[in-house]
Amino acid sequence: MSFDEHQACVQQQELESALALARRDGISIMGAGGFARALRVACQGQGIKVHAFIVSSRTQVDNEIDGLTIHVWDTFPSDLLHYPIWIGIFNNHINAELTGLRKQCLALGFRDVRTPQEFFSWVAPAMGWRYWLAPLEGYRSQWPLIEQARGLLVDDESRVAYDAIVSFRLGIVLDDPITLCAEQQYFPESLRRWMPASGCSYLDGGAYDGDTLRMAQSALSPAQIYAFEPDPGNYQRLCAFTAGQASSVIQFPLGLSDTPAFLRFRSGQSDASSLDSEGDCTIQVAALDDLFRHTRIDFIKLDIEGSEIPALQGACKLIAEAFPPFLAIAGYHRWDDLWRIPLLINDLSKNYKVVLKVHKSNSFDAVFYAYYQDHQ
């Protein structure tokens, strides 16, 4: 795909008009969860009045939040249709797919419907890190790298998925959802021929409670598993799962990065616990090259909430070995992971072939798979 400067200019003018309208008339917010509540606070900081939250079911929430009324879709006052509505729902659930929610709002009679990727530029400083959401001008400024990374993908399916993600995140294509891969995440059947044989060594960065270890045992039958999980609660559940496992499992209560360090961490967020300068605890992180100097690793899976790039940088020697590991790297936590991860993989080893598959709604669980071209 190529950058359309005229299209970008037209879109920018439209969004500036939408922001002016929101500041003049106020908005409603679809949803009433954590993202919606943070959006309301951010809007107040921008001088944008929020008239109401609108939700699909009364069983989800109370009648109001901080004095703001919550209405249900089929009973909200008709005068709210005169105001723009911003979708305050942002996750990977199938019922939270943004193009579908946008269509629902239009069907209800709202004329000005805005998705998170459209309005995030206006509220980003107050919203903080929200996975891949970023001001649209950020994507536009990185277009040469976006195109360069696309050129590294080895098949048409990957390039189609890549284009769909970029168009979706830029708010260019909001009528149809991104086509999802129906194969198992991290171990897709179409790539099994490139994965290591039974009896391999498997390394799981972000092992959570053992969920991906179960899949790895089924898909790979590894002889040795190395599982990394820094969240204290998740680590306890991981150890409970691995107790008595047939294959050898070594658990590490560590995070992964490019150098050893102690860093602040926000724990207790289920599978979304992550590094955070204002987190509630401190964890230790380590570099894989330091831990496995004399150990062969055949498969590396990383899903570590935005730390994938430093973790890969800390594994550059492992990846440059005579038998580079198969890689399955989450590519959706940071907005620029979409191009930085494939470019980094290529820098670490020119022999890798890179494939992209999207496993969850709204471009979440987009995973880059990389295999060594001589492994067949």
Side-chain angles (χ1 to χ4, degrees):
M1 63 185 303
S2 59
F3 180 69
D4 188 327
E5 188 171 347
H6 174 71
Q7 183 183 40
C9 182
V10 171
Q11 181 191 40
Q12 184 63 30
Q13 292 175 347
E14 179 194 351
L15 292 179
E16 288 175 358
S17 297
L19 176 59
L21 180 65
R23 284 179 169 159
R24 188 192 72 188
D25 297 339
I27 65 169
S28 295
I29 294 177
M30 183 184 197
F35 186 88
R37 299 179 192 193
L39 175 59
R40 183 210 181 181
V41 173
C43 285
Q44 290 175 322
Q46 291 289 326
I48 299 172
K49 181 179 180 179
V50 178
H51 297 286
F53 293 112
I54 300 177
V55 298
S56 60
S57 172
R58 174 60 66 199
T59 60
Q60 296 178 343
V61 290
D62 298 327
N63 292 326
E64 63 177 43
I65 298 176
D66 298 331
L68 189 66
T69 302
I70 301 174
H71 296 288
V72 180
W73 289 357
D74 54 0
T75 60
F76 66 86
S78 60
D79 62 323
L80 291 180
L81 293 173
H82 299 299
Y83 306 116
I85 186 167
W86 291 8
I87 298 175
I89 300 171
F90 184 69
N91 57 58
N92 65 8
H93 302 159
I94 188 65
N95 60 358
E97 198 280 312
L98 291 173
T99 67
L101 295 179
R102 179 175 175 271
K103 289 178 181 177
Q104 291 177 23
C105 290
L106 292 170
L108 288 171
F110 290 98
R111 294 186 296 275
D112 190 302
V113 183
R114 298 296 160 185
T115 59
Q117 55 267 56
E118 292 181 290
F119 62 68
F120 192 72
S121 299
W122 311 327
V123 295
M127 294 288 284
W129 172 49
R130 299 286 172 171
Y131 285 85
W132 53 260
L133 281 178
L136 297 181
E137 56 269 22
Y139 282 94
R140 296 166 183 155
S141 69
Q142 298 297 307
W143 203 261
L145 294 178
I146 291 173
E147 289 189 317
Q148 185 180 345
R150 183 188 187 276
L152 296 175
L153 301 175
V154 299
D155 60 2
D156 289 339
E157 181 182 353
S158 296
R159 289 185 285 270
V160 167
Y162 192 89
D163 293 348
I165 292 174
V166 173
S167 297
F168 173 76
R169 292 186 181 180
L170 281 172
I172 296 171
V173 177
L174 293 175
D175 293 327
D176 299 303
I178 296 171
T179 301
L180 303 183
C181 174
E183 298 178 278
Q184 185 180 48
Q185 186 172 346
Y186 301 121
F187 310 98
E189 184 64 35
S190 61
L191 298 179
R192 292 286 174 88
R193 62 179 294 201
W194 305 106
M195 296 181 191
S198 175
C200 64
S201 59
Y202 168 73
L203 189 148
D204 194 317
Y208 184 40
D209 62 0
D211 58 346
T212 46
L213 267 62
R214 296 181 184 91
M215 293 188 287
Q217 288 169 330
S218 174
L220 304 175
S221 298
Q224 180 66 61
I225 294 175
Y226 304 99
F228 289 80
E229 177 51 55
D231 182 280
N234 292 343
Y235 184 74
Q236 289 183 359
R237 289 185 282 275
L238 173 65
C239 291
F241 167 74
T242 59
Q245 290 289 307
S247 55
S248 176
V249 183
I250 301 176
Q251 303 90 226
F252 298 82
L254 301 172
L256 296 175
S257 190
D258 56 350
T259 188
F262 289 93
L263 302 173
R264 297 299 293 176
F265 187 81
R266 186 173 299 280
S267 66
Q269 306 300 305
S270 186
D271 59 351
S273 297
S274 62
L275 292 175
D276 188 327
S277 60
E278 299 180 357
D280 60 303
C281 66
T282 298
I283 65 164
Q284 185 175 3
V285 298
L288 289 175
D289 282 340
D290 294 335
L291 298 175
F292 298 97
R293 290 182 180 179
H294 307 292
T295 304
R296 175 171 166 171
I297 303 297
D298 299 307
F299 191 120
I300 296 177
K301 167 257 173 181
L302 297 177
D303 189 341
I304 46 179
E305 302 303 306
S307 295
E308 288 80 9
I309 285 178
L312 282 171
Q313 292 168 332
C316 59
K317 294 178 181 177
L318 269 179
I319 291 173
E321 292 289 345
F323 298 96
F326 183 96
L327 303 178
I329 313 298
Y332 63 94
H333 293 111
R334 306 289 180 185
W335 68 286
D336 51 359
D337 283 347
L338 191 62
W339 52 95
R340 290 186 65 200
I341 287 178
L343 291 173
L344 176 57
I345 291 173
N346 185 64
D347 286 342
L348 295 176
S349 176
K350 303 297 183 184
N351 291 317
Y352 271 121
K353 300 296 185 181
V354 183
V355 170
L356 172 64
K357 295 182 183 293
V358 186
H359 297 277
K360 294 286 181 67
S361 297
N362 300 323
S363 80
F364 282 89
D365 289 36
V367 178
F368 288 102
Y369 300 92
Y371 58 87
Y372 192 48
Q373 65 180 5
D374 290 342
H375 291 181
Q376 191 167 7

Short mmCIF file of all heavy atoms in Angstrom, two decimals, residues 133-175:
data_model
loop_
_atom_site.label_atom_id
_atom_site.label_comp_id
_atom_site.label_asym_id
_atom_site.label_seq_id
_atom_site.Cartn_x
_atom_site.Cartn_y
_atom_site.Cartn_z
N LEU A 133 -3.02 2.09 20.20
CA LEU A 133 -3.57 3.41 19.90
C LEU A 133 -2.47 4.46 19.94
O LEU A 133 -1.63 4.48 20.85
CB LEU A 133 -4.67 3.78 20.91
CG LEU A 133 -6.04 3.16 20.68
CD1 LEU A 133 -7.00 3.60 21.80
CD2 LEU A 133 -6.61 3.54 19.32
N ALA A 134 -2.50 5.35 18.96
CA ALA A 134 -1.52 6.43 18.90
C ALA A 134 -2.08 7.54 18.03
O ALA A 134 -2.97 7.30 17.20
CB ALA A 134 -0.20 5.93 18.30
N PRO A 135 -1.61 8.77 18.21
CA PRO A 135 -2.03 9.84 17.31
C PRO A 135 -1.77 9.45 15.86
O PRO A 135 -0.73 8.88 15.53
CB PRO A 135 -1.15 11.03 17.75
CG PRO A 135 -0.89 10.76 19.20
CD PRO A 135 -0.73 9.27 19.29
N LEU A 136 -2.73 9.75 14.99
CA LEU A 136 -2.64 9.32 13.59
C LEU A 136 -1.40 9.88 12.90
O LEU A 136 -0.81 9.23 12.04
CB LEU A 136 -3.90 9.75 12.84
CG LEU A 136 -5.21 9.13 13.32
CD1 LEU A 136 -6.36 9.62 12.45
CD2 LEU A 136 -5.14 7.61 13.30
N GLU A 137 -0.98 11.08 13.29
CA GLU A 137 0.19 11.66 12.63
C GLU A 137 1.45 10.83 12.92
O GLU A 137 2.41 10.86 12.14
CB GLU A 137 0.41 13.11 13.07
CG GLU A 137 0.54 13.32 14.57
CD GLU A 137 -0.79 13.60 15.25
OE1 GLU A 137 -1.85 13.23 14.68
OE2 GLU A 137 -0.76 14.21 16.34
N GLY A 138 1.44 10.08 14.01
CA GLY A 138 2.57 9.21 14.30
C GLY A 138 2.73 8.13 13.25
O GLY A 138 3.84 7.87 12.76
N TYR A 139 1.62 7.49 12.88
CA TYR A 139 1.66 6.48 11.83
C TYR A 139 2.12 7.10 10.51
O TYR A 139 2.93 6.53 9.78
CB TYR A 139 0.29 5.84 11.64
CG TYR A 139 -0.07 4.81 12.69
CD1 TYR A 139 -0.79 5.15 13.82
CD2 TYR A 139 0.32 3.48 12.53
CE1 TYR A 139 -1.12 4.19 14.78
CE2 TYR A 139 -0.01 2.52 13.48
CZ TYR A 139 -0.73 2.88 14.60
OH TYR A 139 -1.05 1.94 15.54
N ARG A 140 1.57 8.25 10.20
CA ARG A 140 1.91 8.89 8.92
C ARG A 140 3.39 9.25 8.85
O ARG A 140 4.02 9.12 7.80
CB ARG A 140 1.05 10.14 8.74
CG ARG A 140 -0.45 9.85 8.62
CD ARG A 140 -1.26 11.12 8.79
NE ARG A 140 -2.70 10.84 8.74
CZ ARG A 140 -3.62 11.61 9.32
NH1 ARG A 140 -3.26 12.70 9.96
NH2 ARG A 140 -4.91 11.29 9.24
N SER A 141 3.95 9.68 9.97
CA SER A 141 5.36 10.08 9.98
C SER A 141 6.30 8.91 9.80
O SER A 141 7.46 9.09 9.43
CB SER A 141 5.68 10.82 11.29
OG SER A 141 5.66 9.92 12.39
N GLN A 142 5.81 7.70 10.06
CA GLN A 142 6.65 6.50 9.96
C GLN A 142 6.40 5.70 8.69
O GLN A 142 6.77 4.53 8.61
CB GLN A 142 6.38 5.61 11.18
CG GLN A 142 6.72 6.25 12.51
CD GLN A 142 8.21 6.58 12.62
OE1 GLN A 142 9.04 5.71 12.43
NE2 GLN A 142 8.52 7.82 12.93
N TRP A 143 5.78 6.31 7.71
CA TRP A 143 5.35 5.56 6.53
C TRP A 143 6.49 4.85 5.80
O TRP A 143 6.31 3.69 5.38
CB TRP A 143 4.60 6.48 5.56
CG TRP A 143 3.71 5.68 4.67
CD1 TRP A 143 3.95 5.29 3.39
CD2 TRP A 143 2.43 5.14 5.01
NE1 TRP A 143 2.91 4.54 2.91
CE2 TRP A 143 1.95 4.43 3.89
CE3 TRP A 143 1.64 5.19 6.16
CZ2 TRP A 143 0.73 3.78 3.87
CZ3 TRP A 143 0.43 4.54 6.16
CH2 TRP A 143 -0.02 3.85 5.03
N PRO A 144 7.66 5.44 5.64
CA PRO A 144 8.74 4.68 4.97
C PRO A 144 9.07 3.38 5.71
O PRO A 144 9.31 2.35 5.05
CB PRO A 144 9.91 5.67 4.99
CG PRO A 144 9.27 7.01 5.03
CD PRO A 144 8.06 6.83 5.90
N LEU A 145 9.08 3.39 7.03
CA LEU A 145 9.36 2.18 7.79
C LEU A 145 8.20 1.19 7.70
O LEU A 145 8.42 -0.03 7.66
CB LEU A 145 9.64 2.52 9.25
CG LEU A 145 10.91 3.33 9.51
CD1 LEU A 145 11.05 3.64 11.00
CD2 LEU A 145 12.15 2.60 8.99
N ILE A 146 6.98 1.71 7.66
CA ILE A 146 5.81 0.84 7.51
C ILE A 146 5.90 0.07 6.19
O ILE A 146 5.67 -1.14 6.14
CB ILE A 146 4.51 1.68 7.57
CG1 ILE A 146 4.31 2.23 8.99
CG2 ILE A 146 3.30 0.85 7.14
CD1 ILE A 146 3.15 3.20 9.13
N GLU A 147 6.25 0.77 5.12
CA GLU A 147 6.37 0.11 3.83
C GLU A 147 7.56 -0.85 3.79
O GLU A 147 7.49 -1.93 3.20
CB GLU A 147 6.52 1.16 2.73
CG GLU A 147 5.24 1.95 2.46
CD GLU A 147 5.35 2.82 1.23
OE1 GLU A 147 6.42 3.46 1.06
OE2 GLU A 147 4.41 2.86 0.43
N GLN A 148 8.65 -0.46 4.45
CA GLN A 148 9.82 -1.34 4.48
C GLN A 148 9.51 -2.65 5.19
O GLN A 148 9.90 -3.73 4.73
CB GLN A 148 10.98 -0.61 5.17
CG GLN A 148 12.28 -1.38 5.16
CD GLN A 148 13.40 -0.62 5.86
OE1 GLN A 148 13.31 0.58 6.12
NE2 GLN A 148 14.48 -1.32 6.19
N ALA A 149 8.81 -2.56 6.31
CA ALA A 149 8.45 -3.77 7.07
C ALA A 149 7.49 -4.63 6.26
O ALA A 149 7.60 -5.87 6.26
CB ALA A 149 7.82 -3.39 8.41
N ARG A 150 6.55 -4.02 5.57
CA ARG A 150 5.62 -4.79 4.74
C ARG A 150 6.37 -5.61 3.70
O ARG A 150 6.00 -6.75 3.38
CB ARG A 150 4.65 -3.84 4.05
CG ARG A 150 3.57 -4.53 3.21
CD ARG A 150 2.78 -3.51 2.42
NE ARG A 150 1.64 -4.11 1.72
CZ ARG A 150 1.71 -4.71 0.54
NH1 ARG A 150 2.89 -4.81 -0.08
NH2 ARG A 150 0.63 -5.21 -0.03
N GLY A 151 7.44 -5.03 3.16
CA GLY A 151 8.21 -5.71 2.15
C GLY A 151 8.94 -6.95 2.64
O GLY A 151 9.39 -7.77 1.84
N LEU A 152 9.04 -7.10 3.96
CA LEU A 152 9.70 -8.27 4.54
C LEU A 152 8.76 -9.47 4.67
O LEU A 152 9.22 -10.60 4.88
CB LEU A 152 10.27 -7.93 5.92
CG LEU A 152 11.38 -6.88 5.95
CD1 LEU A 152 11.74 -6.56 7.40
CD2 LEU A 152 12.60 -7.36 5.18
N LEU A 153 7.46 -9.24 4.57
CA LEU A 153 6.50 -10.32 4.73
C LEU A 153 6.52 -11.22 3.50
O LEU A 153 6.57 -10.73 2.37
CB LEU A 153 5.10 -9.75 4.96
CG LEU A 153 4.98 -8.83 6.18
CD1 LEU A 153 3.60 -8.20 6.25
CD2 LEU A 153 5.29 -9.58 7.47
N VAL A 154 6.45 -12.54 3.72
CA VAL A 154 6.77 -13.47 2.64
C VAL A 154 5.58 -13.95 1.82
O VAL A 154 5.77 -14.57 0.79
CB VAL A 154 7.53 -14.70 3.20
CG1 VAL A 154 8.82 -14.27 3.85
CG2 VAL A 154 6.66 -15.48 4.17
N ASP A 155 4.35 -13.67 2.27
CA ASP A 155 3.21 -14.20 1.52
C ASP A 155 2.11 -13.15 1.40
O ASP A 155 2.07 -12.17 2.13
CB ASP A 155 2.67 -15.49 2.15
CG ASP A 155 2.20 -15.30 3.58
OD1 ASP A 155 2.23 -14.18 4.09
OD2 ASP A 155 1.78 -16.31 4.18
N ASP A 156 1.22 -13.39 0.44
CA ASP A 156 0.14 -12.44 0.19
C ASP A 156 -0.79 -12.32 1.39
O ASP A 156 -1.29 -11.22 1.69
CB ASP A 156 -0.66 -12.88 -1.04
CG ASP A 156 0.11 -12.70 -2.34
OD1 ASP A 156 1.07 -11.90 -2.34
OD2 ASP A 156 -0.23 -13.37 -3.33
N GLU A 157 -1.06 -13.43 2.06
CA GLU A 157 -1.96 -13.40 3.21
C GLU A 157 -1.43 -12.46 4.28
O GLU A 157 -2.19 -11.69 4.88
CB GLU A 157 -2.12 -14.82 3.78
CG GLU A 157 -3.06 -14.90 4.96
CD GLU A 157 -3.18 -16.29 5.53
OE1 GLU A 157 -2.62 -17.24 4.92
OE2 GLU A 157 -3.81 -16.46 6.59
N SER A 158 -0.13 -12.50 4.52
CA SER A 158 0.47 -11.61 5.52
C SER A 158 0.38 -10.15 5.09
O SER A 158 0.07 -9.27 5.91
CB SER A 158 1.94 -11.98 5.74
OG SER A 158 2.07 -13.27 6.28
N ARG A 159 0.63 -9.90 3.81
CA ARG A 159 0.58 -8.52 3.33
C ARG A 159 -0.84 -7.97 3.36
O ARG A 159 -1.06 -6.79 3.68
CB ARG A 159 1.17 -8.44 1.92
CG ARG A 159 2.69 -8.64 1.91
CD ARG A 159 3.28 -8.42 0.52
NE ARG A 159 3.00 -9.54 -0.37
CZ ARG A 159 3.78 -10.61 -0.51
NH1 ARG A 159 4.89 -10.70 0.19
NH2 ARG A 159 3.47 -11.58 -1.36
N VAL A 160 -1.83 -8.81 3.06
CA VAL A 160 -3.22 -8.38 3.15
C VAL A 160 -3.57 -8.05 4.60
O VAL A 160 -4.22 -7.03 4.88
CB VAL A 160 -4.16 -9.48 2.60
CG1 VAL A 160 -5.62 -9.18 2.96
CG2 VAL A 160 -4.02 -9.58 1.09
N ALA A 161 -3.15 -8.89 5.54
CA ALA A 161 -3.41 -8.63 6.95
C ALA A 161 -2.73 -7.35 7.41
O ALA A 161 -3.31 -6.54 8.15
CB ALA A 161 -2.93 -9.81 7.80
N TYR A 162 -1.51 -7.14 6.96
CA TYR A 162 -0.75 -5.94 7.32
C TYR A 162 -1.46 -4.68 6.82
O TYR A 162 -1.65 -3.71 7.56
CB TYR A 162 0.65 -6.05 6.71
CG TYR A 162 1.65 -5.04 7.21
CD1 TYR A 162 2.44 -5.30 8.32
CD2 TYR A 162 1.84 -3.83 6.55
CE1 TYR A 162 3.39 -4.40 8.77
CE2 TYR A 162 2.79 -2.91 6.99
CZ TYR A 162 3.56 -3.20 8.10
OH TYR A 162 4.49 -2.29 8.54
N ASP A 163 -1.87 -4.70 5.55
CA ASP A 163 -2.57 -3.55 4.98
C ASP A 163 -3.88 -3.29 5.72
O ASP A 163 -4.25 -2.12 5.95
CB ASP A 163 -2.87 -3.80 3.50
CG ASP A 163 -1.61 -3.84 2.64
OD1 ASP A 163 -0.54 -3.44 3.14
OD2 ASP A 163 -1.72 -4.27 1.48
N ALA A 164 -4.58 -4.36 6.09
CA ALA A 164 -5.85 -4.20 6.80
C ALA A 164 -5.64 -3.56 8.16
O ALA A 164 -6.42 -2.70 8.58
CB ALA A 164 -6.53 -5.56 6.95
N ILE A 165 -4.57 -3.96 8.85
CA ILE A 165 -4.28 -3.36 10.16
C ILE A 165 -3.97 -1.88 10.02
O ILE A 165 -4.49 -1.04 10.76
CB ILE A 165 -3.09 -4.10 10.82
CG1 ILE A 165 -3.49 -5.52 11.22
CG2 ILE A 165 -2.62 -3.33 12.06
CD1 ILE A 165 -2.34 -6.35 11.76
N VAL A 166 -3.10 -1.55 9.07
CA VAL A 166 -2.72 -0.14 8.89
C VAL A 166 -3.95 0.70 8.54
O VAL A 166 -4.17 1.78 9.12
CB VAL A 166 -1.64 -0.02 7.80
CG1 VAL A 166 -1.37 1.46 7.47
CG2 VAL A 166 -0.35 -0.70 8.24
N SER A 167 -4.77 0.23 7.61
CA SER A 167 -5.95 0.99 7.20
C SER A 167 -6.94 1.14 8.35
O SER A 167 -7.57 2.19 8.51
CB SER A 167 -6.63 0.30 6.01
OG SER A 167 -5.77 0.27 4.89
N PHE A 168 -7.08 0.09 9.14
CA PHE A 168 -7.99 0.13 10.29
C PHE A 168 -7.49 1.10 11.35
O PHE A 168 -8.25 1.93 11.85
CB PHE A 168 -8.10 -1.28 10.86
CG PHE A 168 -8.86 -1.38 12.15
CD1 PHE A 168 -10.24 -1.32 12.16
CD2 PHE A 168 -8.19 -1.55 13.35
CE1 PHE A 168 -10.95 -1.42 13.36
CE2 PHE A 168 -8.88 -1.66 14.55
CZ PHE A 168 -10.27 -1.59 14.54
N ARG A 169 -6.21 1.02 11.68
CA ARG A 169 -5.68 1.88 12.74
C ARG A 169 -5.64 3.34 12.32
O ARG A 169 -5.73 4.24 13.16
CB ARG A 169 -4.28 1.41 13.13
CG ARG A 169 -4.28 0.06 13.84
CD ARG A 169 -2.89 -0.28 14.31
NE ARG A 169 -2.84 -1.57 14.97
CZ ARG A 169 -1.73 -2.11 15.47
NH1 ARG A 169 -0.60 -1.42 15.39
NH2 ARG A 169 -1.76 -3.29 16.05
N LEU A 170 -5.53 3.60 11.03
CA LEU A 170 -5.56 4.97 10.54
C LEU A 170 -6.98 5.50 10.37
O LEU A 170 -7.17 6.66 10.03
CB LEU A 170 -4.81 5.07 9.21
CG LEU A 170 -3.28 5.11 9.29
CD1 LEU A 170 -2.67 5.00 7.91
CD2 LEU A 170 -2.83 6.40 9.97
N GLY A 171 -7.97 4.63 10.58
CA GLY A 171 -9.35 5.06 10.41
C GLY A 171 -9.75 5.24 8.96
O GLY A 171 -10.74 5.90 8.66
N ILE A 172 -8.98 4.63 8.03
CA ILE A 172 -9.29 4.74 6.61
C ILE A 172 -10.38 3.76 6.22
O ILE A 172 -11.28 4.08 5.45
CB ILE A 172 -8.02 4.49 5.77
CG1 ILE A 172 -6.98 5.58 6.06
CG2 ILE A 172 -8.35 4.44 4.28
CD1 ILE A 172 -5.63 5.31 5.44
N VAL A 173 -10.30 2.54 6.77
CA VAL A 173 -11.30 1.50 6.50
C VAL A 173 -12.00 1.15 7.80
O VAL A 173 -11.41 0.52 8.68
CB VAL A 173 -10.65 0.24 5.88
CG1 VAL A 173 -11.70 -0.84 5.69
CG2 VAL A 173 -9.97 0.59 4.56
N LEU A 174 -13.25 1.59 7.93
CA LEU A 174 -14.01 1.34 9.16
C LEU A 174 -15.35 0.68 8.87
O LEU A 174 -16.21 0.62 9.75
CB LEU A 174 -14.23 2.66 9.92
CG LEU A 174 -12.98 3.31 10.50
CD1 LEU A 174 -13.31 4.66 11.12
CD2 LEU A 174 -12.32 2.40 11.53
N ASP A 175 -15.53 0.19 7.66
CA ASP A 175 -16.79 -0.46 7.29
C ASP A 175 -16.75 -1.96 7.48
O ASP A 175 -17.79 -2.59 7.72
CB ASP A 175 -17.15 -0.14 5.83
CG ASP A 175 -17.49 1.33 5.63
OD1 ASP A 175 -18.04 1.93 6.57
OD2 ASP A 175 -17.20 1.85 4.55
#
